[in-house]
Amino acid sequence: MPETGHIRVDEEFPLALGGSLPEVGITFEQWGDVDAPGDRTIVIMPALSASAHVSSGVADPTPGWWEAMVGPGRWIDTDQWRVVAGAILGAPFGSSSPLSENVHGGGQWGRDFPQITPADQARCHALMLDHLGIERVHAAIGASLGGMQVLQFAAMYPERVSRIVSISATGKTTPGTVALRRVGRNAIMNDPDFADGRYAGGKGPLRGLAVARELGTICYRSRDEFNQRFSWDPDPEGPFTPHKLTYEVERYLAHQGERFANMFDANCYLLLSRCMDLMDLGAGFDLYADGVLRIRCPSMIIGVDRDMLIPASEQQHLAHLLQSHGREVHFEILPSLFGHDAFLKEHEWFGPRVRDWLQA
Amino acid sequence: MPETGHIRVDEEFPLALGGSLPEVGITFEQWGDVDAPGDRTIVIMPALSASAHVSSGVADPTPGWWEAMVGPGRWIDTDQWRVVAGAILGAPFGSSSPLSENVHGGGQWGRDFPQITPADQARCHALMLDHLGIERVHAAIGASLGGMQVLQFAAMYPERVSRIVSISATGKTTPGTVALRRVGRNAIMNDPDFADGRYAGGKGPLRGLAVARELGTICYRSRDEFNQRFSWDPDPEGPFTPHKLTYEVERYLAHQGERFANMFDANCYLLLSRCMDLMDLGAGFDLYADGVLRIRCPSMIIGVDRDMLIPASEQQHLAHLLQSHGREVHFEILPSLFGHDAFLKEHEWFGPRVRDWLQA
């Protein structure tokens, strides 16, 4: 088995909301013994802005987005486990997305890429496992949008996973989160360079995307972190106008926004933003509980006390529902200044818990 | 004394950050016995989107923004008190602002209106009282930006006020709040119709202003309110794309944003947004405490538990600092679904407390 690759499946891929993709492509990476069987395999599902490059490897020695967690001798020990990650459906990291060629003709999909949900992304991970010859994995792990895919995967394929770790995710998006995401989308769609989603390749609504990411950055961290990290006083030199970056936190946000706008695609962003709104384990069921209780394997559900995008109460509700119906749940709330982004920062907290959970 | 009027002061008005306005205009309203002396007078300082029309009156019978609080027989009883309110400096409600004529020539001030702070606005209220012949008022009351002006007024003119009520305000803006405001400003300044602030009168960056207000609306309310008030499910009819208003909360925000954009001016908004960033009772002092402790009168300081723009901890810090130095402080945190906007909604909670505080 190669350490990295691209799977192309020339079969119709039906979508949760109806319709289908005529084909699907999945870019993946692997670490550890890439011929190990499923019961020694862990699948990691990335969040919105993360590729399949979870960790460094032979093919790509640059650090991955969960470098501190995954690797030889690390918390998710690739000397012990085979780790697989597929780039998520809809993101600009190699798997099918608005940047892909529409085989119906007309060049890239762009804004015509059909709306997906985390359930579709979970099905894409299942397809990847099929093609890697893995029927059942030991664990599925993800945070944020990755954690939503993990929940959907465990719900849709209870026979294909032994245990899960879902961090800072929700079983069903609430209006408070839709509201925050809408503002970002609105900023993008208002940018005249968005051109109703028909902007030229490589161009697009960079300023709108930057505004969306600035708001995202605020939601991904916490007020306490910002208040601790940044100066409370304006730049001494002035002028103190609204048109100038007067506070340190403004320079930070401007930098984050610009960097993201240059690496992400606006149609992908809008698609994934709405995809997260549409997260709902209860979709298609009479009761939310009916959808949730498809999850039968032991679950590690983690929330972060200062998560302002997907509050810890949402992970708690999910854990309580599972526990109330006899499922094995390990639920914890991490107190962290880093809020929603804690999974990218608090490795010393997550590490031992995830390691022990994998071996439980 | 007239019930409403416009004061024009043809004298240089120096500004806290340096520079000055060549003249200043103040639009005001009054209720109750408009010839009552200062010790029977209460001055109300409005927030960003509020005019001097606090309550209905003979001259303008339409309901004011604090109609339920102020009037004959109401909590702030105009049968007992003379109530005065001036439109705030910088806002598009009649007092000097970017919409005013620049007497230096060149038409409206627009983006060239000098940057003000809540201290300048407080000085403007003092000027209004001078012209109304009121040396010392019984109380100054305000919420949000109004509450900041109240704090500055009590700090700058300790001899001119007997007691204050400051609701959902801060003594010094923190980076967590600057961050949220910056995103709104950025959305406005990115709008091509902003034209670097030199848009034609009556036009301007309506879409950017709407985005800013949508984010503002989220910050003014609470996640719990949104989750309780709006459907958690998308519109059944679909399509569920990012380009359509798919959730009820999106329609609500779109409506709020559009309404505000049509009533507010972008240069005024940017000016006032930065003005609030610059709120700092410690400005010009070695220590923040030195600035705060200029406030000598008894203070009612109120925070709201779900305020996501100016968290209750900021009102608490201020109250503790004042109390620690022997000032009389009545501090309470209101538990309210309405967050920062609670002062506009929770009249049954604020009413008796403010009434009793005025009579204490």
Side-chain angles (χ1 to χ4, degrees):
Chain A
M1 277 285 173
E3 280 204 322
T4 65
H6 186 80
I7 295 162
R8 183 172 169 148
V9 183
D10 290 319
E11 284 168 22
E12 201 176 358
F13 183 86
L15 296 169
L17 294 173
S20 63
L21 291 168
E23 57 161 14
V24 77
I26 306 162
T27 293
F28 69 91
E29 294 196 28
Q30 297 194 75
W31 302 264
D33 174 2
V34 298
D35 295 309
D39 61 5
R40 283 184 47 215
T41 299
I42 291 162
V43 60
I44 294 181
M45 303 184 182
L48 179 143
S49 56
S51 70
H53 192 54
V54 172
S55 187
S56 55
V58 176
D60 181 353
T62 61
W65 59 264
W66 233 15
E67 186 73 20
M69 285 290 284
V70 177
R74 300 192 192 130
W75 302 110
I76 300 174
D77 188 350
T78 53
D79 289 339
Q80 182 181 0
W81 303 106
R82 173 188 185 178
V83 176
V84 186
I88 64 172
L89 189 66
F93 299 117
S95 296
S96 293
S97 82
L99 296 181
S100 307
E101 190 76 10
N102 181 349
V103 294
H104 293 317
Q108 284 182 337
W109 278 102
R111 69 163 275 166
D112 297 326
F113 196 87
Q115 183 61 52
I116 56 172
T117 77
D120 296 310
Q121 296 173 317
R123 228 162 55 71
C124 206
H125 294 300
L127 199 57
M128 172 186 76
L129 294 176
D130 292 345
H131 281 258
L132 295 173
I134 303 169
E135 178 50 32
R136 179 185 178 95
V137 294
H138 177 65
I141 304 179
S144 189
L145 174 54
M148 298 185 210
Q149 296 167 60
V150 164
L151 296 172
Q152 286 286 5
F153 185 85
M156 295 162 73
Y157 308 103
E159 74 289 355
R160 298 196 71 171
V161 59
S162 298
R163 46 183 56 223
I164 60 172
V165 179
S166 179
I167 301 166
S168 302
T170 191
K172 181 176 174 70
T173 300
T174 51
T177 305
V178 173
L180 289 163
R181 289 208 196 96
R182 166 180 164 72
V183 173
R185 289 193 291 268
N186 203 3
I188 291 170
M189 293 188 289
N190 278 348
D191 186 329
D193 293 334
F194 178 59
D196 205 26
R198 315 228 180 260
Y199 50 86
K203 302 205 170 177
L206 297 190
R207 288 172 309 169
L209 209 45
V211 173
R213 183 61 170 196
E214 290 195 22
L215 177 56
T217 301
I218 294 170
C219 296
Y220 298 154
R221 296 303 181 88
S222 77
R223 165 180 288 278
D224 290 332
E225 188 210 354
F226 279 19
N227 287 354
Q228 189 170 117
R229 177 172 173 181
F230 300 114
S231 168
W232 289 31
D233 290 312
D235 285 341
E237 69 266 24
F240 309 113
T241 69
H243 315 88
K244 183 180 165 286
L245 297 175
T246 297
Y247 288 86
E248 187 184 9
V249 67
E250 295 185 283
R251 288 196 299 279
Y252 167 77
L253 290 174
H255 173 74
Q256 296 294 326
E258 198 179 326
R259 196 173 65 163
F260 183 80
N262 286 315
M263 87 170 217
F264 221 87
D265 171 71
N267 283 317
C268 290
Y269 188 88
L270 293 174
L271 180 79
L272 294 174
S273 171
R274 181 61 94 199
C275 170
M276 292 186 281
D277 285 356
L278 293 161
M279 173 64 189
D280 184 2
L281 284 170
F285 292 83
D286 282 346
L287 297 173
Y288 175 62
D290 294 337
V292 170
L293 293 170
R294 290 176 293 161
I295 299 175
R296 307 199 72 86
C297 69
S299 306
M300 171 174 263
I301 310 278
I302 306 283
V304 180
D305 64 345
R306 289 184 183 82
D307 189 337
M308 91 179 244
L309 188 66
I310 307 179
S313 59
E314 302 198 9
Q315 291 91 62
Q316 191 166 38
H317 293 159
L318 182 65
H320 281 173
L321 184 55
L322 288 165
Q323 279 172 321
S324 302
H325 290 79
R327 305 290 188 276
E328 183 185 340
V329 180
H330 177 97
F331 170 66
E332 268 190 275
I333 294 180
L334 162 64
S336 173
L337 274 184
F338 296 112
H340 191 71
D341 263 359
F343 71 100
L344 295 172
K345 308 285 282 184
E346 304 276 16
H347 306 116
E348 298 299 315
W349 191 91
F350 283 103
R353 284 168 174 78
V354 170
R355 178 198 58 200
D356 295 351
W357 180 250
L358 293 176
Q359 284 158 353
Chain B
M1 276 285 172
E3 280 205 320
T4 65
H6 185 80
I7 295 162
R8 184 172 169 146
V9 184
D10 290 319
E11 284 168 22
E12 202 176 358
F13 183 85
L15 296 169
L17 295 174
S20 62
L21 290 169
E23 57 160 13
V24 78
I26 306 161
T27 293
F28 69 91
E29 294 195 28
Q30 297 194 75
W31 301 263
D33 174 3
V34 298
D35 295 308
D39 62 4
R40 282 184 48 215
T41 299
I42 291 162
V43 60
I44 294 181
M45 303 186 180
L48 179 143
S49 55
S51 70
H53 191 54
V54 173
S55 188
S56 55
V58 176
D60 181 353
T62 63
W65 59 265
W66 234 16
E67 185 74 20
M69 286 290 284
V70 177
R74 299 192 193 131
W75 302 110
I76 299 173
D77 187 350
T78 52
D79 289 337
Q80 181 179 3
W81 304 106
R82 173 188 186 178
V83 176
V84 185
I88 64 173
L89 190 65
F93 299 116
S95 295
S96 293
S97 81
L99 295 182
S100 307
E101 190 75 11
N102 181 349
V103 294
H104 293 317
Q108 283 183 336
W109 277 102
R111 67 163 278 163
D112 297 325
F113 196 88
Q115 184 61 52
I116 56 171
T117 77
D120 297 310
Q121 296 174 316
R123 228 164 53 72
C124 207
H125 294 300
L127 199 57
M128 172 187 75
L129 294 177
D130 291 346
H131 282 259
L132 295 175
I134 304 169
E135 178 52 33
R136 178 185 177 95
V137 293
H138 177 65
I141 304 180
S144 190
L145 172 55
M148 301 185 208
Q149 296 166 60
V150 164
L151 296 172
Q152 286 286 4
F153 185 84
M156 295 162 74
Y157 308 102
E159 73 290 354
R160 299 195 69 171
V161 60
S162 299
R163 46 184 55 222
I164 60 172
V165 178
S166 178
I167 300 167
S168 302
T170 191
K172 180 177 174 68
T173 299
T174 51
T177 305
V178 173
L180 288 163
R181 288 207 197 97
R182 165 182 165 69
V183 173
R185 289 194 291 267
N186 202 3
I188 291 169
M189 292 189 288
N190 278 348
D191 186 328
D193 293 335
F194 179 58
D196 205 27
R198 314 228 182 262
Y199 49 87
K203 301 205 172 180
L206 296 190
R207 289 171 309 169
L209 207 45
V211 173
R213 183 60 170 198
E214 290 196 21
L215 177 57
T217 301
I218 294 170
C219 296
Y220 299 153
R221 296 302 182 90
S222 77
R223 164 181 290 277
D224 289 333
E225 188 210 353
F226 279 19
N227 288 352
Q228 189 171 117
R229 178 172 172 183
F230 299 114
S231 169
W232 289 31
D233 290 311
D235 284 340
E237 68 267 22
F240 309 114
T241 69
H243 314 89
K244 183 182 165 284
L245 298 176
T246 298
Y247 288 87
E248 188 183 10
V249 68
E250 295 185 282
R251 287 196 300 279
Y252 168 75
L253 290 173
H255 174 74
Q256 295 295 325
E258 196 179 327
R259 196 174 63 165
F260 183 79
N262 286 317
M263 86 169 218
F264 220 86
D265 171 72
N267 282 317
C268 290
Y269 188 88
L270 292 173
L271 179 79
L272 293 175
S273 171
R274 182 61 95 200
C275 169
M276 291 187 280
D277 285 357
L278 292 161
M279 172 64 190
D280 184 2
L281 285 170
F285 292 83
D286 282 347
L287 298 173
Y288 175 63
D290 293 338
V292 170
L293 293 170
R294 290 177 293 162
I295 298 175
R296 307 200 73 86
C297 69
S299 305
M300 171 174 265
I301 310 277
I302 305 283
V304 180
D305 64 346
R306 290 184 182 81
D307 189 337
M308 90 179 246
L309 189 66
I310 307 178
S313 60
E314 301 197 11
Q315 290 92 63
Q316 190 166 41
H317 294 157
L318 182 66
H320 282 173
L321 184 55
L322 289 165
Q323 278 171 322
S324 302
H325 290 80
R327 305 291 188 275
E328 183 184 342
V329 180
H330 177 94
F331 171 66
E332 267 190 275
I333 294 181
L334 161 64
S336 173
L337 275 183
F338 296 111
H340 191 70
D341 264 0
F343 71 99
L344 295 173
K345 307 285 282 183
E346 304 275 17
H347 306 117
E348 297 300 315
W349 191 92
F350 283 102
R353 283 167 175 78
V354 170
R355 176 198 58 199
D356 294 351
W357 181 249
L358 292 176
Q359 284 160 352

